[in-house]
Amino acid sequence: MDVSETPGATDVTVRGDPFGPLPVASVVLDRLGTVVRWSRAAERMVGRAAADVLGRPATALLHRSVDGTAVRAEAERCRADGGWGGRLPTVHADGHRMNLYARVCPMLGPDDGASWLVLASDDAQMPWWMVDQLMLGGMLAQSPIGMALLDEELRYRWLNDALARSGGVSRNARLGRRLSELMPGLPAEQIEERMREVLRTGVPIMNFEYRGRTVADPHREHAYSTSFFRLDDSAGRVLGVCYIVVDVTDRWRAQQRLALLNDASARIGSSLDVMRITQDLADVAVPRLADFVVVDLLESVLRGEEPAQPVTGTSRIRRAGQRSVLPGCPESVARTGDVVQPSFPAARCLTDGRPVLEPVLDVATNPWIARDRPRWAKIRRFGLRSLIVVPIRTRGVIMGVATFVRRVRPDPFDEDDLLIAQEFASRAAVWVDNARRYTREHAAALTLQRSLLPHSLPGQTAVEVASHYRPADESAGVGGDWFDVIPLSSARVGLVVGDVVGHGLHAAATMGRLRTAVHTLAGLDLPPDELLAHLDDLVIRLADEEENAAGSASTAVLGATCIFAVYDPVSRRCTLARAGHPPPALVSPGGTVDFLDLPVGPPLGLGGLPFESTELELVEGSLLALYTDGLVEDRDNDVDAGLGQLRAALNRADRPLEEIRDRVIKELLPDRPEDDVAFLLARTHALRAERVASWDLPLDPAVVALARAHAARQLVAWGCGEEVLTTELVVSELVTNAIRYATEPIRLRLIRDRTLICEVSDGSSTSPRLRHSRTTDEGGRGLFLVAQFTQRWGARYTPRGKTIWAEQPLRSFDTALPSWGGFWDAPV
């Protein structure tokens, strides 16, 4: 080696063959960066003599393309890290640019002041094998991906700048120490276990993912993907383990957001109940997005109404759902269902529809907190840190707000969290609006159903009844089946059960029309077969109307079935007719169950086919069961099996009707029937002979006085003297009309029931007519007087003529006749 003896020059240039040591120039800088030593190798490398360089700043040797700011930054890094390595763009003496690879190391000068040794090599003269090595070292050092080399004891031996920056711990602080000593916020034990496994087996581990917090960003959780591989020397000895780590936080957060939104889509909206939907929103968001969530809705939304816009301070808000990581939601100022005064951010969000993001809940930046004393107390007590409020809005209509709060997680809400909260609220808003509309429609359907079915069965003494109604779609609450008990003249009662094909609102509307028609026809005292014939005509007209309006006849109208029965407690005779309906069951007082073999009759709407009535005498205490096919038929059982089950359930006729009804329901009805079900039980009673009095009268005007005398004596015997005068007037007018306009036989009958019933029967089929008489007329006022002095009157036709009847209240009824009110139940 040839070393210069010239003062101020040091020559460390190495000569040799091309595969020998690399020529290196040496330069010494003082602490200010001034050149104080200049070697002969440096003279030859850059073409400048020592005299031209010594005493000048080293930056004067750099090429003009070098950024001065970058040079100063690198100098600061050199001082902080105790050295530096890299490429230096330099100017040769002849003016061309040359790239030197340099290493800067600290040293002590003769004056004991800090100085720096610079060793440089010319890139152009560097052998290929050294170029590759240096490029690899530079690539690893400058790579944006974190890399590190650890020895067999898992202590850091080398790491690049990217790893030092991402972890927040410098290179010098890491060297010689273990990860578990430096990063308590990471799952260091798991990571080191993977490295031991790689050292032991030599098998690399790829893409090991974990989450944690670093010194560089302690308030935000990051996700990392790390790969490990073992380093061996040429002799196969284990040198250590190398790992490469990539920050995949953005990808992880995107996956988390997608999974959270998918979960929200699956859970929110599984119900059509507004309160359930809002509670699902809170349940999904806690704890994956927030530690405490409340959802407040306009009261009108909970009622199913269209919310008034804009929302004002007078709008009533109710707490619709809430969830917390703490049991019982102690952070809340209200319970679910309570009327609440929204917080200032929530009120602002309700009025202007804009979301609110408060990363830090601080009185200094949020003055409203101090004014809201109840919430300020909760914030201080539970350490609530961060807040998001988003509107629940769809179709431009604001229906409420959702508030998200963090207290356990140290990282505050950010814009990404706000986007997720808004997505939550927008999805929930669609379902809330659907549920609100359903609530409105359901309420309308229930109102219609309640208006169509009897609210309570009317009081009468002919039968004791129990009933049950259940639609197939219980959520809608409406169906096409119905039942009714209709008081008729002369203490008789009409029992009806009908079935309209289909379910839901349209079937219920059709049912209502048919039920009204049955009531009207029953009021005319028509026999059951004639009533069904008139009802059949009505169904045909309804079908024609629907066909003209919609182009096709409704099956709900054409497929309807019905059974109608009239029971007379005086004669104990029951007349029945059915139109395509299942046969009624008759249970004797002894428990024998028979299904009456009535003529079937066609379903309503076919037209042209007759209906037939069957009359039979019933023993007092007999049980008559009328039902629709939904009770005895479903896809798993045929009708015969259902009738067998019904027979078994009815065989205890001596039990209370409610008990029998409940037993039938339990044994025959599933929890979710496939068809609507209407079920009516009627236990017959007979009117005792002493409560009925009758007289046959000759066709003689003189018999009118005798008829009045008979009636007066009977009323006195019954203890109804207060009704004598009115009854004499009614008897006189009805008997006079029969004698004057009708034929024999003429019969007068009084019935003491809940009312006093007066009947006059004759052999004529002419219909009486109420008319207004002129002042000069000598007659024509009889029926007018009867109508004025009684509560109702009418006429019915019999096989042998007609009967004119009139009813008047009995003022002594409560003490004279027992009430059957305790045996009645309202429809289910």
Side-chain angles (χ1 to χ4, degrees):
M1 178 180 292
D2 181 16
V3 181
S4 174
E5 300 296 334
T6 305
T10 303
D11 191 355
V12 294
T13 302
V14 180
R15 294 187 179 94
D17 61 64
F19 297 99
L22 178 70
V24 177
S26 60
V27 180
V28 177
L29 308 178
D30 65 9
R31 62 185 181 86
L32 298 178
T34 302
V35 179
V36 295
R37 294 286 189 274
W38 187 255
S39 69
R40 292 190 181 189
E43 288 182 346
R44 290 190 294 271
M45 190 173 292
V46 298
R48 295 177 184 272
D52 298 332
V53 178
L54 293 175
R56 299 181 62 186
T59 54
L61 300 172
L62 299 178
H63 192 265
R64 63 178 179 273
S65 63
V66 177
D67 184 2
T69 302
V71 172
R72 288 190 291 272
E74 291 298 322
E76 291 298 328
R77 287 186 58 195
C78 180
R79 294 188 182 95
D81 297 342
W84 181 85
R87 281 178 171 78
L88 289 175
T90 308
V91 179
H92 193 270
D94 63 8
H96 79 271
R97 170 176 171 161
M98 60 184 303
N99 292 323
L100 301 181
Y101 184 80
R103 290 294 302 177
V104 182
C105 304
M107 61 180 294
L108 295 177
D111 56 355
D112 293 331
S115 58
W116 301 89
L117 173 64
V118 181
L119 301 175
S121 301
D122 187 356
D123 274 1
Q125 299 178 7
M126 192 173 297
W128 63 267
W129 51 272
M130 292 193 69
V131 172
D132 290 346
Q133 182 180 3
L134 292 173
M135 288 181 62
L136 179 60
M139 181 183 69
L140 295 177
Q142 299 176 30
S143 170
I145 300 176
M147 301 180 186
L149 173 62
L150 293 80
D151 60 20
E152 290 183 276
E153 295 181 355
L154 303 184
R155 298 185 183 277
Y156 283 98
R157 293 305 177 192
W158 176 87
L159 68 153
N160 66 355
D161 294 341
L163 185 62
R165 287 193 302 271
S166 66
V169 180
S170 67
R171 178 183 293 106
N172 289 341
R174 290 200 191 208
L175 294 177
R177 303 182 69 183
R178 294 173 54 174
L179 178 67
S180 56
E181 301 172 7
L182 301 169
M183 296 288 181
L186 295 178
E189 293 296 333
Q190 298 180 32
I191 298 172
E192 290 183 347
E193 180 60 34
R194 298 299 185 279
M195 290 190 282
R196 292 189 190 96
E197 181 182 344
V198 170
L199 285 172
R200 184 175 64 255
T201 65
V203 178
I205 294 179
M206 307 300 292
N207 299 323
F208 170 64
E209 293 193 0
Y210 54 90
R211 298 190 303 276
R213 302 176 191 273
T214 64
V215 177
D217 192 4
H219 300 300
R220 186 168 182 257
E221 189 175 44
H222 286 251
Y224 300 95
S225 175
T226 304
S227 298
F228 308 91
F229 58 94
R230 192 173 73 183
L231 292 178
D232 301 335
D233 63 10
S234 59
R237 290 173 299 187
V238 177
L239 299 177
V241 62
C242 181
Y243 73 80
I244 302 172
V245 59
V246 179
D247 190 326
V248 293
T249 303
D250 291 340
R251 185 189 71 187
W252 171 70
R253 286 183 175 271
Q255 291 173 342
Q256 292 296 106
R257 287 195 296 268
L258 182 60
L260 189 56
L261 292 176
N262 286 339
D263 191 21
S265 298
R267 294 181 58 183
I268 302 174
S270 59
S271 169
L272 283 174
D273 180 79
V274 174
M275 299 287 282
R276 180 68 261 171
I277 293 171
T278 53
Q279 186 60 50
D280 287 342
L281 168 60
D283 292 344
V284 170
V286 176
R288 297 166 66 180
L289 177 62
D291 302 316
F292 173 52
V293 174
V294 298
V295 183
D296 299 326
L297 294 180
L298 296 173
E299 192 174 51
S300 56
V301 174
L302 298 175
R303 294 195 300 264
E305 302 171 1
E306 186 76 19
Q309 301 291 304
V311 181
T312 64
T314 60
S315 301
R316 284 171 62 89
I317 312 295
R318 285 193 180 273
R319 179 65 42 87
Q322 55 187 357
R323 180 68 181 272
S324 170
V325 294
L326 299 176
C329 296
E331 308 98 321
S332 179
V333 298
R335 296 174 300 178
T336 300
D338 289 349
V339 175
V340 296
Q341 182 66 34
S343 65
F344 175 78
R348 188 176 68 187
C349 183
L350 280 168
T351 55
D352 62 21
R354 291 198 295 265
V356 177
L357 171 61
E358 297 287 355
V360 179
L361 284 176
D362 186 6
V363 177
T365 57
N366 301 278
W368 65 268
I369 297 178
R371 296 194 297 269
D372 195 337
R373 293 186 178 275
R375 289 182 173 84
W376 174 226
K378 298 286 187 179
I379 291 173
R380 288 186 299 175
R381 178 182 174 187
F382 296 101
L384 307 183
R385 303 173 182 225
S386 191
L387 175 77
I388 286 177
V389 182
V390 293
I392 297 177
R393 173 176 54 193
T394 184
R395 300 181 295 106
V397 177
I398 295 177
M399 297 179 289
V401 291
T403 303
F404 303 81
V405 182
R406 279 184 180 169
R407 57 173 293 273
V408 178
R409 299 169 59 168
D411 47 326
F413 285 121
D414 56 22
E415 292 294 335
D416 287 341
D417 297 320
L418 177 61
L419 291 176
I420 297 177
Q422 288 180 295
E423 185 67 22
F424 268 16
S426 64
R427 296 190 183 197
V430 175
W431 288 107
V432 167
D433 192 49
N434 290 341
R436 177 192 65 80
R437 293 169 180 268
Y438 169 78
T439 299
R440 181 183 62 191
E441 299 301 327
H442 188 223
L446 288 178
T447 301
L448 173 63
Q449 183 77 356
R450 293 190 184 103
S451 67
L452 297 179
L453 287 175
H455 297 169
S456 60
L457 298 179
Q460 40 76 46
T461 57
V463 292
E464 167 195 353
V465 296
S467 60
H468 180 78
Y469 172 76
R470 183 182 300 178
D473 184 3
E474 290 197 70
S475 61
V478 295
D481 292 7
W482 89 94
F483 64 89
D484 227 329
V485 177
I486 306 173
L488 301 176
S489 62
S490 304
R492 298 172 308 138
V493 64
L495 306 174
V496 58
V497 170
D499 183 357
V500 171
V501 176
H503 317 294
L505 197 59
H506 186 264
T510 302
M511 174 269 288
R513 301 174 79 175
L514 297 185
R515 177 175 178 255
T516 301
V518 170
H519 262 272
T520 302
L521 295 173
L524 298 177
D525 275 317
L526 297 176
D529 55 341
E530 292 187 25
L531 183 144
L532 292 181
H534 286 286
L535 193 62
D536 183 57
D537 294 337
L538 173 65
V539 168
I540 293 174
R541 289 197 298 273
L542 292 177
D544 290 341
E545 290 178 4
E546 293 193 7
E547 185 175 7
N548 293 333
S552 61
S554 170
T555 56
V557 178
L558 293 179
T561 66
C562 183
I563 184 169
F564 185 71
V566 176
Y567 174 69
D568 186 347
V570 177
S571 64
R572 293 185 288 105
R573 302 195 68 80
C574 182
T575 307
L576 307 94
R578 59 177 175 149
H581 207 78
L586 179 63
V587 187
S588 68
T592 303
V593 182
D594 293 308
F595 291 98
L596 299 180
D597 186 18
L598 304 181
V600 177
L604 298 173
L606 296 185
L609 298 175
F611 299 95
E612 297 182 39
S613 293
T614 298
E615 187 176 77
L616 54 136
E617 186 173 332
L618 303 181
V619 178
E620 184 175 9
S622 298
L623 186 64
L624 194 62
L626 308 179
Y627 53 90
T628 56
D629 58 3
L631 182 69
V632 295
E633 183 179 5
D634 58 39
R635 68 179 64 181
D636 298 324
N637 296 307
D638 58 18
V639 176
D640 292 337
L643 293 177
Q645 289 180 296
L646 180 59
R647 182 190 299 273
L650 291 173
N651 62 4
R652 295 292 303 275
D654 57 331
R655 310 302 298 171
L657 281 188
E658 291 78 6
E659 182 178 325
I660 299 174
R661 176 199 61 195
D662 294 342
R663 182 180 178 187
V664 170
I665 294 170
K666 179 180 178 181
E667 296 187 7
L668 275 77
L669 280 186
D671 293 334
R672 299 179 64 87
E674 299 174 0
D675 195 5
D676 302 331
V677 174
F679 179 45
L680 181 65
L681 286 176
R683 177 174 285 147
T684 64
H685 295 287
L687 205 60
R688 293 192 298 271
E690 59 268 23
R691 298 192 180 275
V692 181
S694 61
W695 301 271
D696 291 324
L697 303 176
L699 191 63
D700 183 355
V703 82
V704 175
L706 179 61
R708 288 198 300 267
H710 288 324
R713 284 194 298 270
Q714 188 61 55
L715 291 180
V716 173
W718 281 341
C720 302
E722 296 181 359
E723 282 74 30
V724 169
L725 290 178
T726 301
T727 305
E728 284 184 330
L729 173 64
V730 172
V731 169
S732 178
E733 295 299 334
L734 295 184
V735 171
T736 299
N737 282 346
I739 293 174
R740 179 177 298 177
Y741 303 110
T743 59
E744 292 183 317
I746 299 175
R747 185 177 183 82
L748 169 65
R749 185 170 72 165
L750 296 180
I751 301 173
R752 182 185 175 218
D753 189 31
R754 289 176 170 267
T755 59
L756 180 62
I757 303 167
C758 178
E759 294 181 349
V760 174
S761 303
D762 58 57
S764 171
S765 297
T766 57
S767 176
R769 183 167 60 91
L770 181 68
R771 60 191 180 92
H772 293 279
S773 301
R774 296 186 296 271
T775 56
T776 56
D777 290 344
E778 296 183 0
R781 300 181 180 87
L783 289 181
F784 178 79
L785 293 175
V786 170
Q788 297 302 309
F789 283 95
T790 60
Q791 66 181 20
R792 65 180 190 136
W793 72 279
R796 68 176 182 272
Y797 294 96
T798 65
R800 294 184 296 273
K802 68 175 182 297
T803 298
I804 311 298
W805 55 269
E807 293 183 7
Q808 55 182 307
L810 276 174
R811 282 163 282 187
S812 55
F813 174 76
D814 292 337
T815 59
L817 194 65
S819 171
W820 296 99
F823 295 97
W824 294 87
D825 67 327
V828 176

